[in-house]
Amino acid sequence: LSSRIDIMDNISPSLAERAQDRLRQSGYSTFQHIRCTLDGDSLILQGEVRSYYLRQIIISICLSISGVEHIDDRIQVIKTSEKASSGL
């Protein structure tokens, strides 16, 4: 029975995968470019968005996921004019 539980734990998606899926399902196309990884008990969010409002939505979505207790927010807010001048 315990081996079956171990197998089920390995099949269930990781916290980072669940966060990535939740962002993809949010309806915001730019959220698909946000990278979610784990470092210990911290969910690390990386990527670029065009406003602080969008960044806050991403953080709120991730905090609503069961098991997320700490977020390491590495999301950069890049204004459209900054992207054009930096060549991104």
Side-chain angles (χ1 to χ4, degrees), residues 34-80:
I34 300 300
R35 191 168 144 223
C36 303
T37 55
L38 281 177
D39 183 15
D41 63 349
S42 294
L43 178 64
I44 301 170
L45 304 176
Q46 296 175 297
E48 296 178 351
V49 292
R50 293 178 300 184
S51 71
Y52 289 99
Y53 174 73
L54 291 173
R55 183 170 138 188
Q56 191 59 43
I57 291 174
I58 292 167
I59 293 168
S60 295
I61 289 170
C62 291
L63 283 173
S64 72
I65 299 168
S66 176
V68 174
E69 295 181 20
H70 184 264
I71 290 182
D72 182 352
D73 174 18
R74 300 180 187 177
I75 298 171
Q76 295 181 332
V77 177
I78 306 291
K79 303 289 185 192
T80 306

